[in-house]
Amino acid sequence: MTDGKAYVKLAYTNSMIGDISQALDGETYIVLEVSTDEDGYNYVLVELESVNDIENIQLVVNTPVGTMTHIIRVAIDTDTLKMYVADGDYTADISILKSDSDETSSAGSYFTTTDVPITVTDGKAYVKLAYTNSMIGDISQALDGENYTVLEVSTDDDGYSYVLVELDGIDDIENIQLVVNTPVGTMTHIIRLAVDTDTLAAVTYSFGSAQVELETGEYDIDVSLKKASNISNDSMAASCIENAVLTVNSDGSAKLSVNLQAVTVGTISGRASEWKIYQGGSASGETIDAEITGTDEDGNVTQITFDIPDNSANGVYVNIYVYRSNKLGSKCLYRYRLQLLNH
């Protein structure tokens, strides 16, 4: 869906199919561009004004007895429509429903139902179903569609017990078997869990003084190497930086992977090595060695990776050695205290 319009992937493998056309202006048929997907299917994208629209398509079929032209109509069976959500971390409100209707179950009061953490992986949604009521016993789900399996209970940082309920999609509704240990005996309920997709929001984390909001994932970013004594000026070793990738994790922590190349100063080249990352906001105090995550055939470091010490800072102070060959061919050693800035 884009701006209310639906784009339907109309795929085919029959070699007799020729041009597929659509009257995008409502009158004149225009041949649609054919692409090929990873499974070898040819396809065109048919544009619908909405998921409820029915669109005429002109189809050319090259048969053994000649070319035939057909007008067909494409319609979406909206009862089977599934909501696509990219892999990542989200929050949403959830509903705990009765087993036989869309009415709210009284068991819903046992659980946290607002701003519930949800992780989407390969199209499946994993909902954190949290509770503090001590009467709740086993919570089970029929993961195979038939036999109920007791879900593993964990405890979060706030002291809530929780299980992860697996949904086939973010708009799936899943049956849950709940055991409640009451003063008068054990009771078993079947409830249904549904995500309120209208409240679905991606989890973001703030970075830098500008408080840039980033979701979990990888980001290509620009970085530069500055003098620690004056971060307005580039370091003489600044040319060692090629590019960098920032990885934001689901717990809000982040790693920076920096791709390195030779340091060039005039006609002299060298290599930056032994990267140490200061853990405070200055070029002093505790350091942690950056992980070497790439080398070339000569053993030169081509990539380092390290944890970002402070997401609110605009950069990190680093300590590096730069090795270069002097005119006599010996090794000279230079030590820099620098700030690596992200932009």
Side-chain angles (χ1 to χ4, degrees):
M1 296 287 293
T2 303
D3 295 331
K5 293 190 175 186
Y7 295 87
V8 178
K9 177 183 175 181
L10 189 61
Y12 58 95
T13 55
N14 194 308
S15 60
M16 293 194 300
I17 294 178
D19 290 340
I20 301 176
S21 306
Q22 180 179 6
L24 295 171
D25 62 358
E27 297 179 2
T28 306
Y29 280 96
I30 298 174
V31 176
L32 300 177
E33 180 181 355
V34 178
S35 301
T36 304
D37 64 20
E38 295 177 352
D39 296 320
Y41 286 83
N42 293 328
Y43 70 92
V44 297
L45 291 179
V46 176
E47 179 183 309
L48 305 185
E49 290 298 320
S50 72
V51 293
N52 298 308
D53 185 25
I54 300 177
E55 191 69 23
N56 287 353
I57 299 297
Q58 182 175 275
L59 177 65
V60 173
V61 181
N62 301 307
T63 72
V65 296
T67 298
M68 303 174 63
T69 300
H70 300 277
I71 301 295
I72 60 175
R73 297 192 303 156
V74 172
I76 295 174
D77 183 353
T78 54
D79 289 339
T80 65
L81 195 64
K82 292 291 185 181
M83 181 178 178
Y84 171 78
V85 176
D87 287 359
D89 297 307
Y90 301 84
T91 61
D93 297 346
I94 62 172
S95 296
I96 305 297
L97 308 173
K98 293 182 177 180
S99 62
D100 55 357
S101 75
D102 289 340
E103 294 181 9
T104 300
S105 169
S106 59
S109 61
Y110 299 147
F111 300 100
T112 300
T113 57
T114 58
D115 294 327
V116 174
I118 299 171
T119 299
V120 177
T121 304
D122 295 331
K124 290 183 179 288
Y126 297 88
V127 180
K128 177 183 176 181
L129 188 60
Y131 57 94
T132 55
N133 194 309
S134 60
M135 292 195 301
I136 293 178
D138 290 339
I139 300 175
S140 306
Q141 180 180 4
L143 295 171
D144 62 358
E146 296 180 4
N147 302 305
Y148 280 96
T149 301
V150 176
L151 300 177
E152 180 181 356
V153 178
S154 302
T155 304
D156 64 20
D157 293 338
D158 296 320
Y160 284 80
S161 299
Y162 70 91
V163 296
L164 291 179
V165 177
E166 179 184 311
L167 307 184
D168 284 334
I170 198 67
D171 51 0
D172 184 26
I173 299 177
E174 190 68 23
N175 287 352
I176 301 296
Q177 182 175 274
L178 176 66
V179 173
V180 182
N181 300 307
T182 74
V184 296
T186 299
M187 302 175 65
T188 300
H189 299 278
I190 300 296
I191 57 176
R192 297 188 303 148
L193 185 151
V195 176
D196 182 354
T197 55
D198 290 339
T199 66
L200 190 70
V203 175
T204 60
Y205 302 96
S206 298
F207 288 86
S209 59
Q211 297 290 288
V212 176
E213 296 291 327
L214 297 178
E215 300 176 15
T216 55
E218 294 187 348
Y219 299 86
D220 294 326
I221 64 171
D222 295 327
V223 297
S224 58
L225 205 56
K226 302 291 186 179
K227 292 182 177 179
S229 59
N230 184 356
I231 62 174
S232 298
N233 296 332
D234 283 344
S235 160
M236 290 181 64
S239 58
C240 74
I241 303 293
E242 188 172 5
N243 51 46
V245 174
L246 178 70
T247 301
V248 181
N249 303 313
S250 59
D251 61 359
S253 64
K255 288 181 177 289
L256 188 66
S257 296
V258 184
N259 294 314
L260 303 173
Q261 57 191 1
V263 178
T264 301
V265 181
T267 60
I268 301 172
S269 292
R271 287 283 178 175
S273 185
E274 300 183 29
W275 290 72
K276 296 181 181 295
I277 313 303
Y278 287 99
Q279 298 303 291
S282 65
S284 62
E286 180 189 2
T287 63
I288 292 179
D289 292 344
E291 180 184 1
I292 297 174
T293 48
T295 58
D296 63 17
E297 58 185 10
D298 296 322
N300 295 312
V301 177
T302 58
Q303 187 186 71
I304 59 166
T305 298
F306 58 88
D307 294 325
I308 301 293
D310 180 3
N311 290 354
S312 65
N314 293 328
V316 296
Y317 286 92
V318 300
N319 192 313
I320 63 174
Y321 286 103
V322 175
Y323 297 90
R324 72 173 178 86
S325 298
N326 65 15
K327 63 182 179 181
L328 299 178
S330 61
K331 294 289 186 180
C332 294
L333 178 63
Y334 291 81
R335 188 179 192 115
Y336 290 87
R337 285 184 174 85
L338 308 164
Q339 190 177 41
L340 187 63
L341 293 176
N342 58 284
H343 305 283

